[in-house]
Amino acid sequence: MQTLSELVNQAAALSDRPCTAVACAADTDVLESVNLAVSRGLATFKLFDDKELLIETISMKYPQLVNHPDIELIDSKGIQEAAQLAVEAVSTGSAQVLMKGNLPTATLMKAALQKEVGLRTGNVLSHVAAFEIPGFDKLFFISDSAMNITPDLQVKVQIIENAVTVARACGVNMPVVVPLAAVEAVNPAMQATLDAASLTMMNQRGQLENCIVEGPMALDNAISPEAAHHKGLSGPAAGKADILIAPNLEAGNILYKSLTYFARAKVGGIIQGASAPIVVTSRADSAETKLHSLALALLVSNN
Amino acid sequence: MQTLSELVNQAAALSDRPCTAVACAADTDVLESVNLAVSRGLATFKLFDDKELLIETISMKYPQLVNHPDIELIDSKGIQEAAQLAVEAVSTGSAQVLMKGNLPTATLMKAALQKEVGLRTGNVLSHVAAFEIPGFDKLFFISDSAMNITPDLQVKVQIIENAVTVARACGVNMPVVVPLAAVEAVNPAMQATLDAASLTMMNQRGQLENCIVEGPMALDNAISPEAAHHKGLSGPAAGKADILIAPNLEAGNILYKSLTYFARAKVGGIIQGASAPIVVTSRADSAETKLHSLALALLVSNN
């Protein structure tokens, strides 16, 4: 049984502790995650923000973090400069993970994607989430719930590659990938089924490596061996998916939210595809979710 | 707190017991639902199939249903004739609900949609499911998970109208409808958000009645008052959705399956939009799901 807290333990056990650069860290929610991570020995941190404000905010709630050996405070003026300096820290190699603090995601991503000192690789960026779902004894990796609106086949290839990288960093060496659709039959009227068929064959032709891809498949048959058996499906992925690839952004986002709100699943997620993993948690995320996300990023960066 | 078993009780309490026409009823799974419904006094039945086979199958497992006053057995040869006669029973008014037995959905729907004696109304047919989700104290109605692949705005209008009809038949007189998207902002690059904005304004202009429509909204903000509050949403639907409209078939199907498999929700569903509700359960559905679906159909037909 693999759990997200096990991923946190794995990240804490890495021999080289990666450094995380946090843009706009002068925020108690952000500092709560930093504090949790530091107390678990997960990572060292470079915190970017107005230094006076940073010290003041830290002193208020986490005095133990002032002058902490694992934390460096770096003065920056305004959110753009904080984003810029945090990205530079990662692109020059003095940090291995980029993390969003109290600034808009768009500002951080703009700095991360700039041509000169950014983290661009030419690859598609996609969100990969790891879910621990009550009643299931393994993690499910789900993508893309946040970045690509209507991914075409070529984008889906990279979404799968990014998800496979994350799953492998978490110890799932040959993940089973299911490109989801509403049905199992290939249907010319349903683009999701055509893409899924192509992705399956690309995997069989060696164009998608380090994983087993089989689709199209509806969600029930991807994750329930009983449902797959009932449906007469016997392929290598039937009922055994580790990675679920949503056919479009809405489907991915709705699945993500259904799992967190209706199925009460635990989650961690990162943006993958840049030269370093990026942690973009939202204000509504719990401290636990933020810790899971950071652990995921650290494991990926170490791989 | 509204539950699906309460809907079954409501259906059982209807003063006029509707009659359900079942195409290809000689199947123990199908007969299990019929037996449950008859024992609860929910409906009378016309069962269409080869009469000898029908009597043989009934006698094997449900001998109490042979010569039952609420059950009429009607001889038909082959699945096409069974479908045809069952549809005719409904279109001529001698039955009020059509139910799929042991035949392909396509065969039943072809008979139901034929021009001459079918159940066509010119309206869009859509699947409407009622979910009872652990931890939530009301039913959620979800559409469309099964029929319309990439509904355009006009089709979405009718998907909403069908769902509102079902919700009202279940006692939700002024349902709150959220056309789901991945975000709350109207974004020209995301068709789901444009459709949601138009549907919201159509409701405000009186073009969509008997409901309150507000979107676009992501799932979390549609169903969680806390999430909506956190996001600063204060519209009439924020956190209060009764009806969730999926932006496309894949999103609807994945949400449906996520609820049943990951969130362990109970469900019943019908196809709405024809001149009578149609119960199309699948072999993998439990007897309980089939009973919920039938109850939903009976309540709708009574309205």
Side-chain angles (χ1 to χ4, degrees):
Chain A
M1 158 119 198
Q2 199 180 20
T3 64
L4 289 169
S5 62
E6 209 176 274
L7 291 190
V8 175
N9 292 339
Q10 281 173 33
L14 294 176
S15 52
D16 288 327
R17 268 194 307 171
C19 177
T20 300
V22 186
C24 300
D27 174 276
T28 50
D29 276 0
V30 176
L31 290 170
E32 187 186 5
S33 316
V34 172
N35 183 47
L36 266 177
V38 166
S39 69
R40 299 288 300 267
L42 274 181
T44 62
F45 285 89
K46 290 183 195 293
L47 306 184
F48 296 83
D49 214 321
D50 178 279
K51 199 163 178 178
E52 264 183 58
L53 178 64
L54 206 42
I55 292 173
E56 193 184 313
T57 319
I58 294 177
S59 307
M60 251 179 3
K61 207 159 166 197
Y62 302 100
Q64 70 277 24
L65 298 186
V66 184
N67 297 321
H68 193 289
D70 291 343
I71 297 180
E72 186 183 350
L73 309 183
I74 296 151
D75 191 41
S76 61
K77 302 298 177 205
I79 61 172
Q80 254 118 17
E81 191 180 302
Q84 179 70 26
L85 294 179
V87 166
E88 276 179 30
V90 178
S91 74
T92 57
S94 69
Q96 285 72 46
V97 169
L98 179 64
M99 185 169 171
K100 174 182 179 274
N102 184 22
L103 79 172
T105 302
T107 308
L108 183 68
M109 294 309 292
K110 195 179 162 195
L113 293 176
Q114 65 188 301
K115 290 226 169 105
E116 282 154 38
V117 291
L119 310 177
R120 266 182 196 277
T121 58
N123 293 337
V124 166
L125 302 196
S126 54
H127 189 268
V128 184
F131 279 95
E132 180 183 327
I133 304 171
F136 288 79
D137 63 357
K138 65 175 180 181
L139 298 178
F140 288 96
F141 297 87
I142 291 180
S143 190
D144 176 2
S145 309
M147 301 286 291
N148 298 281
I149 301 171
T150 47
D152 62 17
L153 182 63
Q154 202 47 51
V155 172
K156 285 182 182 172
V157 166
Q158 294 192 43
I159 286 173
I160 290 178
E161 287 170 346
N162 287 343
V164 168
T165 299
V166 175
R168 286 168 61 89
C170 296
V172 186
N173 282 327
M174 187 56 81
V176 172
V177 181
V178 172
L180 292 172
V183 294
E184 284 70 39
V186 177
N187 179 338
M190 296 173 157
Q191 187 61 43
T193 69
L194 306 179
D195 288 349
S198 296
L199 292 164
T200 304
M201 284 314 297
M202 289 172 93
N203 178 240
Q204 291 185 22
R205 292 290 181 265
Q207 295 165 270
L208 259 169
E209 292 183 314
N210 300 319
C211 59
I212 296 163
V213 180
E214 190 198 350
M217 221 180 285
L219 178 60
D220 51 345
N221 298 317
I223 57 103
S224 159
E226 293 74 26
H229 177 75
H230 216 104
K231 192 83 183 181
L233 299 173
S234 59
K240 294 185 197 146
D242 298 300
I243 297 176
L244 300 167
I245 299 298
N248 55 58
L249 181 66
E250 282 82 16
N253 194 271
I254 288 172
L255 177 56
Y256 184 107
K257 265 94 181 234
S258 172
L259 286 170
T260 47
Y261 283 82
F262 287 139
R264 294 157 203 282
K266 295 180 178 179
V267 66
I270 61 171
I271 295 175
Q272 179 63 9
S275 62
I278 305 175
V279 178
V280 180
T281 56
S282 83
R283 196 156 281 276
D285 287 331
S286 68
E288 190 187 37
T289 296
K290 288 171 182 158
L291 190 69
H292 296 155
S293 301
L294 186 60
L296 212 53
L298 297 170
L299 290 171
V300 170
S301 103
N302 185 256
N303 241 45
Chain B
M1 159 117 198
Q2 200 181 19
T3 64
L4 289 169
S5 62
E6 210 177 275
L7 292 190
V8 175
N9 292 340
Q10 281 173 33
L14 293 176
S15 53
D16 288 328
R17 268 194 308 171
C19 176
T20 299
V22 185
C24 300
D27 174 276
T28 49
D29 276 359
V30 176
L31 290 171
E32 186 185 6
S33 316
V34 172
N35 183 48
L36 266 176
V38 165
S39 68
R40 299 288 300 268
L42 275 181
T44 62
F45 285 89
K46 290 184 193 295
L47 307 184
F48 296 84
D49 214 324
D50 178 280
K51 199 163 176 178
E52 263 183 59
L53 180 64
L54 206 41
I55 293 174
E56 192 184 317
T57 318
I58 295 177
S59 308
M60 247 174 11
K61 209 160 166 198
Y62 302 100
Q64 70 276 24
L65 298 186
V66 183
N67 297 323
H68 193 289
D70 291 344
I71 297 180
E72 185 184 349
L73 308 184
I74 296 152
D75 190 41
S76 62
K77 301 299 175 207
I79 60 172
Q80 254 118 14
E81 191 180 302
Q84 179 70 26
L85 294 180
V87 166
E88 276 179 27
V90 178
S91 73
T92 58
S94 70
Q96 286 72 46
V97 169
L98 179 65
M99 185 168 171
K100 173 181 179 274
N102 184 23
L103 79 172
T105 302
T107 307
L108 182 68
M109 294 310 291
K110 195 178 163 198
L113 294 176
Q114 65 188 301
K115 289 222 172 107
E116 282 154 39
V117 291
L119 310 177
R120 268 182 195 275
T121 58
N123 292 337
V124 167
L125 301 197
S126 55
H127 188 269
V128 183
F131 279 96
E132 180 183 327
I133 304 171
F136 288 80
D137 64 358
K138 65 176 181 182
L139 297 178
F140 287 97
F141 297 87
I142 292 180
S143 190
D144 177 3
S145 309
M147 300 286 291
N148 298 281
I149 301 171
T150 48
D152 61 17
L153 182 62
Q154 203 46 49
V155 172
K156 284 181 182 173
V157 167
Q158 295 193 42
I159 287 174
I160 290 179
E161 287 171 344
N162 287 342
V164 168
T165 298
V166 175
R168 285 168 62 89
C170 295
V172 186
N173 281 328
M174 187 54 82
V176 173
V177 181
V178 173
L180 293 172
V183 295
E184 283 71 37
V186 178
N187 180 338
M190 295 172 159
Q191 187 61 42
T193 70
L194 305 179
D195 288 349
S198 296
L199 292 164
T200 303
M201 284 314 298
M202 290 173 93
N203 177 239
Q204 292 185 21
R205 292 289 182 264
Q207 296 165 269
L208 259 168
E209 293 183 311
N210 300 320
C211 59
I212 295 163
V213 181
E214 190 198 350
M217 220 179 286
L219 178 61
D220 50 346
N221 298 317
I223 57 104
S224 160
E226 294 74 28
H229 177 76
H230 216 105
K231 192 83 182 180
L233 299 174
S234 59
K240 293 184 197 146
D242 299 299
I243 297 177
L244 300 166
I245 300 297
N248 55 57
L249 180 66
E250 281 82 16
N253 194 270
I254 288 171
L255 176 56
Y256 184 108
K257 264 89 181 239
S258 172
L259 286 171
T260 46
Y261 283 84
F262 287 139
R264 293 156 204 282
K266 294 179 180 180
V267 67
I270 61 171
I271 295 175
Q272 179 62 9
S275 61
I278 305 175
V279 178
V280 180
T281 55
S282 81
R283 196 155 281 275
D285 287 330
S286 68
E288 189 187 36
T289 295
K290 288 172 182 158
L291 190 68
H292 296 154
S293 301
L294 186 60
L296 212 53
L298 297 171
L299 290 171
V300 169
S301 101
N302 186 255
N303 242 44

